[in-house]
Amino acid sequence: MSGRFLVTGGAGFVGSHLVATLIARGDDCVVLDNFRIGHRAAILPGAEAADIDLADRVAVDRIVAAGPWDAVFHFAGLSLVAESMRDPFRYLGENFGHGLTLIEACVRHGVDRFVLSSTAALFGRPTTPRLDETTPIDPVSPYGESKWLLERALVWADRVHGLRSATLRYFNAAGSDPAGRLGEDHQPETHLMPLAIDTALGRRPEFVVFGGDYDTPDGTCIRDYVHVSDLADAHLRAFRQLDRGSVAYNVGIGAGASVLDVIRSVERVSGRKVRYRVADRRPGDPAVLVADPGKIMRETGWSPRFTALDDIVRTAFDWRAAHPNGYESALTNAASPV
Ligand code: UFG
């Protein structure tokens, strides 16, 4: 059965992939975005754009009131650990403050399903090899803290007002739409996979590895790279699970790759060398973050389609190779006379 959904940040990396999944099911989708980070070209035909900043309480109230919504999916926000270490109050203000504005509007207008894009960054420096939902929460960055505060606000929104929520703590979103319509395009780009790919493509002179002295087998940080289309599927399954009550899930593939593993994978997929040098650690980076996704798999039947690093990298590589200027390339091509 199709539904009607409001997707904040639906023009961003993970949000746009969820919108693609919803449209493919025949759902109605309104994308709320201020287009500071998101891209208009990332909204596929079939979805409607609402040019709204979450700081604008009146506009947020108006669009939430224009329901009924089967659910609100909330992706909008800042998501860079290192940036949050430099500008903590911006992260707390925008991610938590504006998120609260949205949650309050949902409560006011009777929305009873909410899905939050949360993060593994709220686990801090874990001591177990794989993190499940019982792992203690202890954010070591304002980014992680801002998402944790939102999760807590949702717990109270449920207890007091009956707003059911699914929070998805995802690990490292990576790859891109296998159909080649969507990709990862941050300005400026700071993420490992796109930067390593750009280095292979000769668009950057070298890749800088942040820290080679971590307590890991090759000394570089280990992360759990989960394909963005698998993440989109996880959101949909978590939404369905809300019929049984609020839930929180850790979403990753359950296996880690080091920074050097990713560099080698990019070399295999591209057939080119990635020049790199090892520099100092980046503040706020935990050594290892790997999910135990057992709970979401058991409860929702979710299972990642992409489990091989090279397959994830290949989708990212194909989009980046075809879009030298990210979504700007798509606009330029579309605007060119044939
Ligand atoms: N890295 C480098 N050099 C770079 C960029 C990254 O060595 O130029 C390393 C980082 O130190 C880290 C790894 O590559 O060890 C991955 O870094 P990313 O910047 O790609 O991603 P993060 O792990 O910092 O953060 C991402 C999302 C967060 C989310 C987190 C959860 O950006 O929103 O994953 O694991 F919270």
Side-chain angles (χ1 to χ4, degrees):
M1 205 179 70
S2 58
R4 183 162 184 264
F5 299 100
L6 180 64
V7 184
T8 79
F13 178 41
V14 185
S16 61
H17 285 77
L18 173 74
V19 171
T21 304
L22 295 174
I23 292 171
R25 281 167 23 111
D27 293 323
D28 283 338
C29 228
V30 176
V31 171
L32 181 162
D33 211 294
N34 62 10
F35 299 101
R36 267 193 288 150
I37 297 172
H39 305 271
R40 287 179 202 281
I43 301 180
L44 296 177
E48 194 185 314
D51 204 333
I52 291 174
D53 193 307
L54 286 178
D56 184 344
R57 300 178 75 93
V58 174
V60 171
D61 189 78
R62 199 177 302 129
I63 190 141
V64 174
W69 305 106
D70 290 288
V72 170
F73 289 88
H74 180 41
F75 294 90
L78 306 168
S79 65
L80 302 178
V81 173
E83 186 181 61
S84 80
M85 298 298 281
R86 295 191 295 272
D87 206 347
F89 303 125
R90 181 167 167 231
Y91 268 70
L92 295 169
E94 292 202 18
N95 284 3
F96 179 56
H98 297 170
L100 207 53
T101 300
L102 179 69
I103 294 168
E104 284 184 85
C106 288
V107 166
R108 238 184 341 266
H109 297 292
V111 175
D112 61 359
R113 300 279 191 276
F114 194 98
V115 182
L116 174 68
S117 157
S118 188
T119 175
L122 49 79
F123 291 114
R125 297 188 199 290
T127 48
T128 47
R130 298 202 314 160
L131 314 187
D132 66 16
E133 291 75 5
T134 65
T135 303
I137 309 273
D138 182 19
V140 292
S141 67
Y143 168 60
E145 188 75 44
S146 67
K147 291 286 183 170
W148 177 231
L149 290 171
L150 266 187
E151 288 201 16
R152 293 304 302 163
L154 285 170
V155 167
W156 290 108
D158 186 1
R159 284 187 197 160
V160 179
H161 298 290
L163 172 63
R164 291 186 181 185
S165 62
T167 62
L168 297 178
R169 289 94 173 246
Y170 29 91
F171 287 62
N172 287 54
S176 61
D177 172 34
R181 299 163 300 175
L182 303 168
E184 184 167 10
D185 180 9
H186 300 106
Q187 301 292 341
E189 190 53 75
T190 62
H191 292 92
L192 162 59
M193 212 173 274
L195 290 179
I197 289 170
D198 279 0
T199 312
L201 289 168
R203 294 177 192 152
R204 304 177 68 87
E206 66 175 4
F207 177 84
V208 179
V209 176
F210 296 139
D213 58 351
Y214 284 96
D215 186 16
T216 59
D218 67 18
T220 67
C221 286
I222 292 178
R223 296 285 181 274
D224 181 330
Y225 295 92
V226 53
H227 194 277
V228 63
S229 300
D230 283 329
L231 274 182
D233 180 41
H235 283 80
L236 204 54
R237 288 170 184 272
F239 159 68
R240 290 197 200 107
Q241 200 64 17
L242 288 175
D243 289 343
R244 299 184 185 180
S246 291
V247 286
Y249 293 126
N250 290 3
V251 196
I253 67 169
S258 73
V259 176
L260 294 184
D261 289 336
V262 173
I263 288 176
R264 283 190 213 100
S265 173
V266 170
E267 290 184 334
R268 280 193 298 276
V269 167
S270 65
R272 303 177 194 196
K273 287 298 290 176
V274 174
R275 273 175 56 100
Y276 70 87
R277 76 180 156 84
V278 179
D280 288 345
R281 294 181 178 194
R282 187 172 65 175
D285 275 346
V288 181
L289 280 177
V290 177
D292 174 347
K295 186 179 173 206
I296 188 168
M297 293 175 87
R298 274 192 312 277
E299 292 188 359
T300 74
W302 180 77
S303 175
R305 280 201 302 137
F306 290 85
T307 50
L309 183 59
D310 285 10
D311 293 341
I312 296 175
V313 166
R314 190 167 295 109
T315 59
F317 179 82
D318 288 348
W319 192 80
R320 255 186 123 75
H323 298 80
N325 299 311
Y327 283 105
E328 287 296 318
S329 324
L331 293 179
T332 312
N333 292 342
S336 308
V338 186

